[in-house]
């Protein structure tokens, strides 16, 4: 179910799923993985460090070093949301715009953002804080990937841990006007799961990119 502006739990739920869920599930699976196994976390370029205010970036780096620091950063964000100060807090503002669907008669100066619910072809304006929560939760996922990769250094059971952005893909979340097909979106995760032998990196279009 896609979050709507009336869902007050969307902020913490996204962090629980994308950040803590990815971290804890990976830690549970690690002992069962064969040598040279791979963990690929499907993240988003909307979580790139450059999208956060400069004053938050040291905290993002610290979050990749310990779960305590990661939780502190996520709680800092949730606190800013609860107080209505998430914009002033330096968190990412709403991100990308999508091409206007052909059935919408929008004014030429329209500069809003829309979300297509492909299963219903419904349209609503996205709430900025909800989009920011998605970015922050994925930044938490990225930190978790870096943390796990660091924890594996020196271990006899080598497991490669990376994160990637599949792009804007034609799924029920992004809608049929997204530019990438499902097959194109799968290319980078499959590449990381089958060919790459590096760890602790962020990939898009099968290339390493800055966090």
């Amino acid at each position: 179910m896609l979050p709507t502006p009336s869902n007050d739990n969307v902020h913490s739920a996204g962090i629980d799923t994308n950040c803590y869920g990815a971290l804890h599930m990976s830690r549970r699976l690690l002992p069962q993985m064969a040598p040279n196994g791979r963990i690929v976390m499907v993240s988003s370029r909307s979580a790139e460090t450059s999208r956060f205010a400069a004053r938050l970036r040291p905290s993002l780096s610290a979050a990749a070093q310990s779960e305590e620091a990661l939780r502190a950063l996520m709680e800092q964000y949730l606190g800013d949301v609860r107080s209505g100060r998430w914009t002033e807090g330096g968190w990412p503002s709403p991100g990308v715009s999508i091409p206007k669907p052909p059935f919408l008669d929008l004014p030429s100066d329209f500069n809003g953002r829309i979300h297509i619910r492909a299963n219903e072809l419904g349209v609503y304006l996205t709430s900025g804080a909800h989009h920011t929560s998605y970015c922050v939760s994925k930044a938490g996922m990225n930190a978790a990937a870096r943390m796990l990769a660091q924890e594996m250094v020196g271990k006899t059971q080598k497991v490669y841990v990376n994160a990637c952005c599949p792009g804007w893909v034609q799924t029920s979340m992004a809608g049929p006007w997204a530019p990438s097909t499902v097959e194109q979106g799968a290319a980078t995760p499959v590449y990381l799961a089958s060919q790459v032998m590096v760890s602790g990196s962020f990939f898009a279009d099968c290339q390493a990119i800055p966090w």
Side-chain angles (χ1 to χ4, degrees):
M1 174 179 172
L2 294 173
T4 66
S6 62
N7 186 350
D8 294 334
N9 295 322
V10 67
H11 310 292
S12 58
I15 289 171
D16 287 344
T17 301
N18 290 336
C19 175
Y20 303 139
L23 177 61
H24 295 159
M25 176 64 77
S26 297
R27 280 185 169 154
R28 288 292 187 95
L29 291 175
L30 274 171
Q32 312 302 322
M33 296 183 68
N36 296 318
R38 293 170 173 85
I39 293 175
V40 181
M41 297 192 183
V42 181
S43 185
S44 171
R45 296 191 75 153
S46 66
E48 289 177 343
T49 303
S50 61
R51 294 184 53 114
F52 292 74
R55 64 181 179 274
L56 288 174
R57 294 173 193 171
S59 297
L60 285 167
S61 296
Q65 303 302 313
S66 74
E67 186 170 347
E68 181 181 6
L70 175 58
R71 287 186 175 275
L73 181 64
M74 297 297 105
E75 285 303 317
Q76 179 182 340
Y77 169 68
L78 291 174
D80 284 346
V81 169
R82 295 184 190 108
S83 65
R85 295 181 54 82
W86 58 271
T87 302
E88 296 90 334
W91 308 98
S93 60
V96 298
S97 298
I98 68 172
K100 298 171 187 174
F103 61 81
L104 284 180
D105 184 18
L106 297 174
S108 59
D109 60 350
F110 175 77
N111 194 32
R113 292 172 174 82
I114 61 177
H115 190 110
I116 307 300
R117 298 170 67 168
N119 57 335
E120 301 173 5
L121 288 182
V123 181
Y124 60 85
L125 293 176
T126 59
S127 165
H130 291 171
H131 179 88
T132 298
S133 291
Y134 175 79
C135 298
V136 172
S137 71
K138 289 295 189 177
M141 174 185 282
N142 289 353
R146 297 166 73 182
M147 188 190 311
L148 288 171
Q150 185 62 34
E151 290 175 2
M152 295 306 298
V153 173
K155 296 286 183 68
T156 55
Q157 178 205 19
K158 182 63 177 177
V159 173
Y160 302 98
V161 186
N162 295 289
C164 71
C165 176
W168 193 359
V169 182
Q170 295 165 8
T171 63
S172 59
M173 177 179 173
W177 288 275
S180 298
T181 65
V182 172
E183 290 77 13
Q184 290 169 326
T188 300
V190 170
Y191 173 67
L192 289 174
S194 59
Q195 299 183 46
V196 170
M197 297 185 71
V198 300
S199 197
S201 294
F202 189 27
F203 281 75
D205 298 322
C206 298
Q207 299 289 329
I209 61 173
W211 288 101

